[in-house]
Amino acid sequence: MFDEADRLLKALYHTLPDPVVVAGKDRIIIRVNPAAERVFGYSQEEFAGMSSRQLYAVGRDWERIGQEIFPLDSADRIYRGQSVFRRKDGTTFEGALTLSHITDEHDATVGLLAITHDLTDVLAVQAERLRMETILQEALASIPEGFVIFDEHDRLLLCNAAYRDIYPNSAEIMVPGVQFEAILRHSLRTGLYPEADRMEGGTEAWIAARMTQHRNPEGSIIQQVGTDRWVQIAERVTPDNLRVAVRTDITALLQIKSETEALGRILEDAQQEIYAFDAVSLRYTLVNRGARHNLQYDLAELRAMSPLEIMPDVSRERLAELLAPLVDGSKTFVEVRTTHRRKDGSIYACAVRLELLDLNRGRSYVAFVEDITEKVEFQSASERLGRLVNGVTQEIYVFDSRTLLFSLVNHGARNNLQYSTEQLRQMTPLDIKPEFDHARFTALLAPLLNGDKPFLEFRTVHRRRDGSTYPCSIRIEMLVTGSGSSFVAFVEDITEKLQSEARLAIKRRNFETLVSSLPDAIARAHPDTTLTYVNEVYAQLVGLSSEEMIGRRYVEFVPAERRQLALDNIAVLTPESPMSDFEQVMLDPEGDEHVILWSDLMIYEKGRAVEIVSVGRDITERHAARSHIAQQAQELALRNEALEQFTGIVSHDLKAPLRHVRQFADMIREDAATGRLDDLPMLTTQMQASVVRMERMIGGLLEYSRVAYKFIRPENFRISEAIAEARNNLAPMIEETGATVEVAAGASLTGDFELIVQMFQNLMANSLKYRQADHPPHIRISESAGENHLEIRIEDNGIGIPAAEAENIFGVFHRLHRDESIYAGAGIGLALCRKVSESHGGSIRLDPGFAGGSRFVVSLPTPAA
Amino acid sequence: MNTESARDNIHVLLVDDDPNENLILQRLFRNLTTPTISLEYVGDIAKAVECVTQSPIDIVLLDNRLVPNNDFRETAPQLRNAGFTGPIGIISSDITGQYFQKFPEYGADFRLGKDEIDAKTIAFILEEYTRNPLPDDCVEDYL
């Protein structure tokens, strides 16, 4: 049982940095891995014999889990859940628990295996993310502008209520995932874009143009929505290929702008003198440049006056008479000739055309197409704008483009800065922006003034009245009106945002520190394997930087032939079985091969795969050791088989002649007993032959053992010397057979001279023995040098050896020709040759393709240069 | 295989590359009175295949190591492939090798050490493997 538990424990120990606890059926702990010691704070000795209950912060958890996993023979053998655990020092942590059965070879449960994954960081990150999302949602809801984000496939990611309010007809379809073009077309169908009908080419051309702007936004555009609404759209493509857009309802601003401009142009630029005065107080409300110039009063003076003061010939009663047709509606205008008196007392005659203007605030009279209504409207609109601006929580500032003096600061800004409206009217942005001086600030604003940019966005700090500062994000746009130009600044206090970012950065650094201290390669990726995080170990293994790897799919770093396997490994992951292992061979930048054991863990949220976390451990050495052991085992098996074969052959071949002698002796005895002597000569001859044969075999075996187990005494000599020695030893046989020996080899060799001579002697003896009957043997010995070995070929013109026997002939006592009357021998010679070549680190083989005889090829290593 | 009526004359094929074995076996069979045994002798497996396909052989005694083959695992199947269905006995000077345990897998019926071969053993084996031959309509499922 414990062996099995050990095996599992070791496997998990090498793949998981999480605590692994092995317990018996009684839930008493048997062993733990080092991670468990580290996380829980107990030593291995303390763990041994401890109840697993001690690791749970809440005893009921332990009992509940017990109820789920017992009885142990139930079909459900894996438990997954979350619990709160207690460390030795009393601190607790929340962890994911995976509890599985350990079974024996009969599939009976013999123990339990628990893996605990500390969720502290995960839960903290989730909480932080939730909080940030809430902040984002609240922030989006609080801004008056329509805010929307489309993803890289142009699908709606999120938008705020203001965005839906701008396009009320399409609000119902504005759900995450809907295409921008679908929203556009829906709004078009419901009549939200009157300009589309006016466009040359029809609505499709309008959609095409709008889509082009959307895909390639340049600056901001003004869009008419419905009959009376105007929206400014600022779209931007983020580096992540998201489209972020802000829609500002500028209907009121446009109206003010257009009306003010219209009035301004009419009033100011008209050659005529134009003024307006209140129908009740008769005081001037508006006097244009022409009038002011002629009358020599400035506007402030005129505002305190009534027309009666510059019309000396018109009394109050006369004026009432003149205006009466306008009052009762019988006339729309009246004309009168009168005089005007300048400030210097001079008088000039003038024709006055008067009209009565009905305004919300009351009636006014306009002289010379003077429209006091528009002036009042302007003021009214300004007040409305002021209320709007004051109402939003975002800080909004308006300041003059030339003097930089604030003309409007909303309630949110005043509240944060702690200045009153009156104080702010005397201040410029430079007074609250300590990071800017005048030159730097005007340089910043220059692109707006030049029209090079529609808006500016930057971060800086604002200084409050009490001297404290706060970081803020600022967007500045230019507002051009008939009376001049101003800048509008939208300011967001980002103190909390930066604090959140800083906290997240600390967590990230902590995570990086933790991850960088691990020896394993670690990666996080989307379910499609697109990398979102790569630690230094993994990056170094691939030979790229983390930044270069992030955004690419990690299967790109798997060899092509193993890629599908890697993908299959992920495809099999399920919420029930979210983890699997995969061995991958990787080449590091130096070209060294590493065997990496990847453990892929798919993280699911509500059953949907959201992320893969992969931990890769370099098991090259372990793998090599495993291969080495397997190779050794294989070699051992081969050697055992060879040994068995050798002893089998020796015992078989040695036994045969002995047995024959015994059996022939039995027969002789039997014949002698019965008096049958006919077979005696034959039987004694056979007996003698068996004895000779056995003698030869024993002699061969002795020779073999003498050579095969001889200690090698290496010395340097030339091949030709060894061949000459062998040739000398065979001189009588060479002479007897009339053989010729041709030697074309003379390279140097390091080896045992005596053994090498023996090898050549055996090979040459074979050539002499297995010769053709009708012509003398010819032996040719040649050589060729390889990169680190010497190849020697010994060939003859003898009877040859069948190719099928190419390997068998090197066996001990293996003889191709049993008929010893023709070819006598013990079948040892070639076995010895192989032994000699192998003991020198070389080899010998028969060249099966050689025709006209036999050719043996001996390969011997040459010393490194 | 011969029929029941032919048991009195049994045809034995000895396959061995050592002629001495033939000599010895001839002497052993000569001492047996019944049944009458005809000993055919060949020195290699090719001739043995030829013999079992052309002559009425009742039993084959096959030497384990027939040059150039390694052992019976290469030779016995050749006889079976040639259609020989009678008993095959592997004879060897040494039958202690582990691979001898697997002789049924290679179509052999028994194994016998050459030093165990004497008149009594041969008589017993011939009696055991040549009596009550299976009927011709016997199918393998009965085995």
Side-chain angles (χ1 to χ4, degrees):
Chain A
M1 179 184 89
F2 296 142
D3 287 344
E4 180 67 8
D6 278 349
R7 192 177 64 74
L8 288 168
L9 183 59
K10 282 175 185 170
L12 290 167
Y13 173 83
H14 285 296
T15 53
L16 284 180
D18 296 323
V20 179
V21 176
V22 178
K25 291 162 71 172
D26 53 2
R27 304 179 77 183
I28 299 296
I29 296 169
I30 298 169
R31 287 186 74 171
V32 301
N33 71 341
E37 291 179 275
R38 195 170 57 250
V39 171
F40 283 102
Y42 293 104
S43 67
Q44 188 75 247
E45 292 70 26
E46 289 171 319
F47 268 115
M50 177 196 292
S51 168
S52 56
R53 180 180 187 134
Q54 200 167 330
L55 301 181
Y56 288 81
V58 182
R60 281 194 305 280
D61 270 7
W62 184 83
E63 291 160 6
R64 176 179 52 75
I65 292 167
Q67 286 165 3
E68 294 205 28
I69 60 172
F70 285 94
L72 293 173
D73 55 356
S74 65
D76 187 2
R77 294 191 167 193
I78 291 183
Y79 165 83
R80 286 193 182 81
Q82 283 185 215
S83 290
V84 180
F85 298 94
R86 173 172 284 116
R87 300 184 184 91
K88 185 183 179 183
D89 61 8
T91 57
T92 60
F93 67 92
E94 191 161 355
L97 173 66
T98 304
L99 197 58
S100 54
H101 291 204
I102 302 170
T103 56
D104 62 11
E105 65 274 21
H106 307 298
D107 204 34
T109 300
V110 295
L112 298 166
L113 181 85
I115 302 172
T116 310
H117 179 62
D118 188 344
L119 296 174
T120 308
D121 288 343
V122 174
L123 293 174
V125 169
Q126 284 176 349
E128 186 61 23
R129 193 171 61 189
L130 198 63
R131 202 178 73 82
M132 291 309 295
E133 284 178 2
T134 306
I135 291 172
L136 176 65
Q137 292 292 344
E138 287 176 358
L140 286 177
S142 68
I143 60 173
E145 286 82 7
F147 182 83
V148 64
I149 302 177
F150 292 93
D151 68 12
E152 65 272 27
H153 302 299
D154 219 14
R155 296 174 301 208
L156 179 63
L157 212 56
L158 63 91
C159 68
N160 64 357
Y163 178 76
R164 291 192 177 89
D165 289 345
I166 291 171
Y167 306 99
N169 298 354
S170 298
E172 60 184 11
I173 68 160
M174 289 177 184
V175 291
V178 68
Q179 293 275 342
F180 170 76
E181 187 170 345
I183 298 173
L184 195 66
R185 287 185 180 278
H186 187 273
S187 300
L188 183 65
R189 279 197 300 276
T190 54
L192 277 184
Y193 301 121
E195 63 185 11
D197 297 327
R198 298 191 296 269
M199 184 152 179
E200 189 179 347
T203 54
E204 283 305 317
W206 182 85
I207 286 174
R210 179 65 189 99
M211 289 304 293
T212 302
Q213 291 167 336
H214 174 70
R215 290 189 185 110
N216 305 293
E218 291 178 359
S220 59
I221 58 171
I222 307 287
Q223 185 182 65
Q224 185 181 359
V225 180
T227 54
D228 56 357
R229 196 170 203 179
W230 293 85
V231 176
Q232 182 182 42
I233 302 173
E235 292 181 307
R236 191 165 69 87
V237 180
T238 69
D240 299 331
N241 203 22
L242 302 178
R243 277 163 178 72
V244 181
V246 175
R247 282 164 170 76
T248 309
D249 188 338
I250 56 167
T251 308
L253 280 173
L254 276 184
Q255 282 176 350
I256 292 165
K257 188 180 171 189
S258 62
E259 288 172 10
T260 305
E261 283 176 350
L263 284 172
R265 279 196 300 275
I266 294 165
L267 296 175
E268 284 295 308
D269 299 334
Q271 295 299 315
Q272 283 182 297
E273 298 173 32
I274 300 170
Y275 49 82
F277 56 93
D278 185 77
V280 178
S281 67
L282 298 181
R283 298 212 178 265
Y284 280 111
T285 54
L286 190 145
V287 184
N288 80 339
R289 187 165 52 221
R292 295 195 303 272
H293 178 74
N294 203 7
L295 290 169
Q296 300 170 351
Y297 289 101
D298 62 25
L299 191 59
E301 291 169 323
L302 287 166
R303 288 261 168 91
M305 298 163 64
S306 77
L308 293 172
E309 292 174 68
I310 60 165
M311 290 193 288
D313 53 352
V314 178
S315 64
R316 181 174 290 270
E317 291 71 25
R318 170 66 184 146
L319 185 60
E321 280 177 23
L322 283 171
L323 298 176
L326 300 176
V327 174
D328 63 22
S330 59
K331 287 186 178 177
T332 56
F333 64 90
V334 293
E335 289 179 335
V336 62
R337 284 183 179 270
T338 183
T339 56
H340 280 178
R341 182 170 56 208
R342 294 189 180 89
K343 190 178 180 180
D344 63 3
S346 61
I347 291 172
Y348 62 94
C350 55
V352 178
R353 174 189 167 104
L354 289 167
E355 288 183 24
L356 179 63
L357 196 61
D358 258 325
L359 295 173
N360 292 338
R361 293 176 60 195
R363 290 181 165 189
S364 289
Y365 296 100
V366 183
F368 298 102
V369 199
E370 181 179 358
D371 191 351
I372 196 170
T373 307
E374 289 161 352
K375 176 69 174 175
V376 170
E377 283 293 323
F378 176 77
Q379 289 172 341
S380 171
S382 296
E383 286 167 6
R384 284 210 310 276
L385 177 64
R387 280 198 299 277
L388 185 69
V389 166
N390 261 331
V392 299
T393 54
Q394 191 180 22
E395 297 177 28
I396 300 175
Y397 305 77
V398 180
F399 55 96
D400 187 80
S401 63
R402 189 173 54 81
T403 65
L404 302 184
L405 284 167
F406 288 123
S407 57
L408 189 151
V409 179
N410 80 336
H411 177 74
R414 293 197 305 272
N415 202 34
N416 203 1
L417 289 171
Q418 304 165 357
Y419 287 109
S420 68
T421 304
E422 290 69 30
Q423 289 169 322
L424 285 163
R425 282 194 190 282
Q426 308 301 318
M427 296 165 65
T428 71
L430 296 172
D431 296 317
I432 59 170
K433 289 181 169 57
E435 291 180 341
F436 285 91
D437 57 19
H438 188 272
R440 190 173 166 220
F441 195 58
T442 51
L444 176 76
L445 297 173
L448 289 179
L449 282 168
N450 301 337
D452 293 339
K453 288 185 178 177
F455 61 87
L456 294 172
E457 284 181 335
F458 59 99
R459 283 187 178 187
T460 185
V461 293
H462 274 183
R463 184 170 52 210
R464 298 188 184 90
R465 189 180 180 193
D466 62 5
S468 62
T469 58
Y470 60 92
C472 51
S473 170
I474 299 179
R475 175 189 172 98
I476 298 183
E477 295 178 23
M478 192 155 180
L479 185 68
V480 180
T481 65
S483 58
S485 58
S486 299
F487 292 113
V488 183
F490 301 92
V491 177
E492 182 192 359
D493 184 341
I494 55 172
T495 307
E496 285 190 12
K497 188 176 174 181
L498 288 182
Q499 286 170 347
S500 298
E501 287 175 358
R503 282 196 295 272
L504 280 174
I506 290 169
K507 283 184 185 299
R508 200 172 293 122
R509 274 201 303 279
N510 290 342
F511 173 71
E512 288 283 352
T513 305
L514 176 69
V515 165
S516 63
S517 65
L518 292 175
D520 300 330
I522 297 175
R524 297 172 65 185
H526 294 310
D528 69 352
T529 78
T530 302
L531 289 163
T532 56
Y533 172 80
V534 171
N535 78 338
E536 193 58 28
V537 175
Y538 188 16
Q540 283 178 358
L541 198 59
V542 173
L544 297 173
S545 67
S546 304
E547 292 72 24
E548 287 172 315
M549 292 177 69
I550 289 170
R552 294 173 66 179
R553 300 181 69 199
Y554 75 61
V555 288
E556 291 179 38
F557 308 113
V558 177
E561 67 276 9
R562 303 269 297 167
R563 207 165 283 167
Q564 190 55 46
L565 201 60
L567 289 171
D568 291 346
N569 196 53
I570 296 166
V572 299
L573 300 179
T574 62
E576 291 74 29
S577 178
M579 188 167 177
S580 67
D581 292 340
F582 169 67
E583 275 192 19
Q584 178 194 350
V585 177
M586 295 182 73
L587 290 177
D588 68 15
E590 281 74 41
D592 293 333
E593 205 169 75
H594 294 264
V595 181
I596 307 295
L597 175 65
W598 283 105
S599 296
D600 293 329
L601 175 67
M602 183 71 84
I603 296 172
Y604 294 89
E605 281 182 6
K606 295 177 181 173
R608 190 171 66 87
V610 294
E611 185 176 31
I612 308 170
V613 178
S614 300
V615 179
R617 178 151 297 180
D618 191 334
I619 58 166
T620 309
E621 289 183 7
R622 198 168 77 191
H623 200 268
R626 205 164 59 197
S627 301
H628 186 60
I629 290 168
Q631 190 181 351
Q632 281 184 329
Q634 191 180 4
E635 283 178 8
L636 196 60
L638 285 173
R639 287 186 184 195
N640 283 339
E641 192 179 337
L643 189 62
E644 188 185 355
Q645 209 171 24
F646 177 78
T647 54
I649 290 166
V650 170
S651 62
H652 173 277
D653 289 38
L654 279 180
K655 272 181 177 178
L658 260 183
R659 179 171 47 79
H660 290 162
V661 169
R662 178 175 59 78
Q663 285 175 320
F664 288 135
D666 286 346
M667 290 175 195
I668 290 169
R669 189 182 59 194
E670 189 182 296
D671 287 355
T674 57
R676 293 176 56 182
L677 305 177
D678 302 346
D679 290 342
L680 276 181
M682 181 274 290
L683 291 173
T684 51
T685 303
Q686 293 300 335
M687 192 194 287
Q688 197 175 23
S690 292
V691 170
V692 170
R693 184 175 161 207
M694 192 167 69
E695 280 177 346
R696 193 185 303 123
M697 290 175 78
I698 291 171
L701 207 57
L702 282 173
E703 187 185 354
Y704 180 82
S705 57
R706 182 180 65 80
V707 173
Y709 302 106
K710 179 180 184 293
F711 282 105
I712 292 180
R713 287 185 295 238
E715 55 183 305
N716 288 321
F717 56 89
R718 289 191 176 278
I719 289 287
S720 53
E721 295 174 56
I723 295 170
E725 183 72 18
R727 188 175 175 171
N728 268 344
N729 295 342
L730 294 170
M733 205 172 168
I734 290 171
E735 190 178 346
E736 182 192 333
T737 57
T740 51
V741 180
E742 177 190 349
V743 180
S748 288
L749 188 70
T750 299
D752 189 306
F753 183 75
E754 189 188 342
L755 291 181
I756 298 294
V757 168
Q758 184 71 57
M759 180 178 71
F760 282 119
Q761 191 174 314
N762 287 359
L763 291 170
M764 290 166 72
N766 270 1
S767 297
L768 298 173
K769 190 192 297 181
Y770 302 105
R771 63 184 182 275
Q772 298 279 3
D774 51 353
H775 51 266
H778 177 77
I779 303 170
R780 184 175 187 278
I781 303 175
S782 59
E783 68 179 15
S784 59
E787 190 176 343
N788 49 14
H789 69 281
L790 181 68
E791 199 170 87
I792 307 153
R793 291 173 294 280
I794 302 95
E795 58 194 51
D796 60 43
N797 58 346
I799 60 174
I801 300 169
E805 292 295 307
E807 192 53 33
N808 292 333
I809 53 173
F810 293 103
V812 174
F813 292 152
H814 192 96
R815 302 193 63 241
L816 289 181
H817 309 281
R818 285 282 178 162
D819 191 344
E820 297 190 0
S821 62
I822 305 173
Y823 300 110
I828 288 287
L830 288 176
L832 270 178
C833 290
R834 170 156 284 182
K835 199 72 186 172
V836 170
S837 62
E838 287 180 349
S839 65
H840 281 77
S843 65
I844 183 170
R845 63 183 175 85
L846 176 79
D847 180 356
F850 184 73
S854 304
R855 176 193 278 163
F856 287 90
V857 182
V858 178
S859 180
L860 294 171
T862 49
Chain B
M1 193 180 204
N2 289 337
T3 60
E4 179 81 5
S5 59
R7 276 194 301 138
D8 288 344
N9 186 15
I10 297 174
H11 296 265
V12 177
L13 172 63
L14 171 64
V15 190
D16 200 312
D17 55 2
D18 188 345
N20 281 334
E21 304 295 348
N22 179 34
L23 199 61
I24 293 164
L25 213 56
Q26 287 283 5
R27 276 294 293 253
L28 287 175
F29 288 163
R30 198 174 72 188
N31 294 337
L32 289 177
T33 49
T34 53
T36 308
I37 296 173
S38 304
L39 180 63
E40 299 283 336
Y41 170 71
V42 293
D44 59 58
I45 191 65
K47 286 183 181 144
V49 167
E50 189 182 331
C51 186
V52 297
T53 53
Q54 293 179 0
S55 307
I57 300 297
D58 293 299
I59 184 167
V60 174
L61 297 176
L62 178 63
D63 183 28
N64 178 43
R65 291 180 54 77
L66 274 177
V67 172
N69 304 102
N70 279 325
D71 55 53
F72 75 90
R73 291 174 291 185
E74 294 177 15
T75 52
Q78 294 186 45
L79 294 175
R80 293 301 183 205
N81 289 340
F84 181 69
T85 57
I88 298 175
I90 309 300
I91 56 172
S92 175
S93 294
D94 181 16
I95 57 169
T96 57
Q98 281 291 318
Y99 63 94
F100 271 101
Q101 308 286 340
K102 298 179 179 175
F103 67 86
E105 295 176 25
Y106 296 89
D109 296 284
F110 62 91
R111 57 190 162 144
L112 188 64
K114 283 180 178 175
D115 53 357
E116 296 176 290
I117 299 176
D118 56 22
K120 199 181 288 180
T121 308
I122 288 296
F124 174 78
I125 289 170
L126 293 178
E127 175 67 15
E128 187 67 22
Y129 283 95
T130 60
R131 72 175 177 178
N132 300 327
L134 294 168
D136 291 342
D137 58 352
C138 175
V139 293
E140 281 194 350
D141 289 348
Y142 282 95
L143 295 175

